[in-house]
Amino acid sequence: MRHAIIAECLDAAIAAPSIHNTQPWRFLPREHCVDVYADRSRQLAVIDPDGRELTISVGAAVLNLRVALLARGYKPLYALLPDPAQPDLMARVTIGDRTQPTYLARRLAGAIPRRHSNRRPFRSAELPETVLDELGEAAASEGGYLMIADPPLRDGVLGVVRRAETLRRTDPDYLVELAGWTAPEPGRREGVPLVAYAPPDRAERIPLRDFGLAHPARHAWPGVFEDEPTVAILYGSGDSPYAWLRAGQALERVLLTATANGAQSTLMTQPLEYADLRALFDDSAQGRVAQAVIRLGYGHESPPSPRRALADVLMSVPDEAY
Ligand SMILES: Cc1cc2nc3c(=O)[nH]c(=O)nc-3n(C[C@H](O)[C@H](O)[C@H](O)COP(=O)(O)O)c2cc1C
């Protein structure tokens, strides 16, 4: 029974977003809990030497695991970095007592398979205040703070993202790393597929990450993007593996809440991968550190990016399990 619950919940965990769709996680199911490990072999040495984005990705998977358990009527108890002797053991999620699944848990769980990064032009980027408030609450409930940028700040943020994207285009190490995660091999179950790339913005206003730099993109024609993009900055407190795991959970909760409200999202984290550009976002007066930049809006559904099979991310089960 527990075996089946865990398998279902792991399907939810691996649907989480991850930097370059690296899926840098491994799971060790035990009788009453799942241990979630970072897979360092999938860390991006060029853009993520400290493993910040890797850890945020793992945090997002942990959030999905918690939500999936709750939606199935089990209280998820969890500990982050539970064993100092094993720094790659990012979380232990325990199946707690039975509980009545809340409407919110079911709503978030329902959004897990429907959330996809959408890099296409949005039809509209005007989110109602009620939705923006809900997104803010989602971040806050996981210890984050979501700042919706007003138009002047938004334009400043887009300028910094553009600066980072421009720097990346001439960075040969970046291009090699990107090439590795965008090589269009048939049947590939990791990396960013051609179908998920953004068309270039005709107005050159929204500098989404160009995944087609190393391998030619499918979109020959520029897209007409929204005039008034909605851009949010997700802040967390602190800048440690623990803080990144918290930020990953806050991020995924925000993205699922957007999906549940029919909105789409794209991450634009390029400037946070340069220390000097990232410092421009920091809000030291409040002790807040920027962990993600998110574009939000309404548009056509975006196709899913592939995932590795569950069997490929499971660690061997110890004899005493089950
Ligand atoms: C920490 C982090 C940073 C990311 N940065 C970007 C980014 O800068 N640009 C982008 O288009 N997608 C970004 N993504 C989204 C991933 O590329 C995406 O989650 C992955 O390709 C899987 O696709 P999916 O989100 O549709 O499931 C990021 C994801 C994470 C977790």
Side-chain angles (χ1 to χ4, degrees):
M1 173 62 181
R2 285 190 185 269
H3 195 148
I5 296 161
I6 287 178
E8 281 173 28
C9 293
L10 288 178
D11 274 337
I14 63 174
S18 62
I19 182 75
H20 287 14
N21 200 18
T22 47
Q23 308 167 47
W25 41 60
R26 288 184 305 156
F27 302 92
L28 178 56
R30 297 173 175 278
E31 193 175 353
H32 295 288
C33 66
V34 180
D35 284 351
V36 184
Y37 284 84
D39 182 346
R40 295 282 166 195
S41 70
R42 295 174 164 266
Q43 187 168 335
L44 301 176
V46 177
I47 64 169
D48 189 29
D50 300 330
R52 186 182 67 85
E53 294 186 280
L54 173 146
T55 309
I56 289 176
S57 307
V58 176
V62 171
L63 189 278
N64 281 7
L65 196 46
R66 287 172 45 206
V67 166
L69 273 174
L70 201 50
R72 280 165 182 78
Y74 294 90
K75 269 192 192 145
L77 309 172
Y78 70 103
L80 302 179
L81 301 171
D83 181 357
Q86 295 188 74
D88 285 344
L89 173 54
M90 300 265 118
R92 174 164 294 151
V93 182
T94 303
I95 306 177
D97 294 341
R98 292 300 319 229
T99 183
Q100 191 63 31
T102 59
Y103 168 70
L104 180 61
R106 281 187 278 119
R107 193 158 178 255
L108 292 177
I112 290 174
R114 290 187 288 117
R115 182 219 57 81
H116 310 301
S117 298
N118 189 334
R119 304 182 183 88
R120 298 172 176 189
F122 291 153
R123 193 176 56 245
S124 148
E126 204 178 324
L127 277 73
E129 282 297 320
T130 49
V131 174
L132 294 176
D133 289 348
E134 212 187 308
L135 297 176
E137 283 159 21
S141 67
E142 299 294 332
Y145 172 72
L146 190 73
M147 178 190 280
I148 308 293
D150 60 16
L153 176 62
R154 174 201 64 199
D155 292 345
V157 168
L158 291 176
V160 181
V161 177
R162 191 172 307 111
R163 171 79 188 130
E165 184 64 21
T166 307
L167 287 170
R168 283 297 181 219
R169 280 160 193 263
T170 52
D171 175 351
D173 293 335
Y174 175 74
L175 296 177
V176 169
E177 186 172 80
L178 189 74
W181 291 100
T182 53
E185 293 157 17
R188 196 172 184 202
R189 300 183 76 159
E190 62 196 0
V192 182
L194 281 171
V195 72
Y197 291 9
D201 176 6
R202 193 168 70 175
E204 296 185 359
R205 181 128 186 271
I206 304 183
L208 297 183
R209 197 189 290 272
D210 187 350
F211 286 101
L213 282 177
H215 301 282
R218 192 170 59 106
H219 303 279
W221 304 103
V224 179
F225 280 70
E226 60 274 18
D227 286 336
E228 296 290 339
T230 292
V231 173
I233 305 166
L234 177 71
Y235 287 96
S237 24
D239 218 12
S240 60
Y242 183 86
W244 300 332
L245 283 169
R246 297 271 285 156
Q249 292 176 87
L251 173 65
E252 178 64 344
R253 196 161 181 140
V254 168
L255 300 180
L256 293 180
T257 303
T259 305
N261 281 288
Q264 319 265 328
S265 59
T266 329
L267 294 178
M268 298 189 286
T269 59
Q270 307 97 309
L272 307 183
E273 293 154 9
Y274 287 99
D276 53 342
L277 297 180
R278 185 167 181 228
L280 298 173
F281 290 84
D282 286 354
D283 185 352
S284 41
Q286 303 284 343
R288 289 176 187 145
V289 186
Q291 300 290 2
V293 179
I294 312 168
R295 165 184 174 247
L296 294 157
Y298 299 98
H300 293 296
E301 298 255 316
S302 182
S305 289
R307 291 295 188 275
R308 289 184 293 157
L310 205 47
D312 294 339
V313 294
L314 286 184
M315 295 167 74
S316 54
V317 182
D319 291 344
E320 74 270 20
Y322 306 122

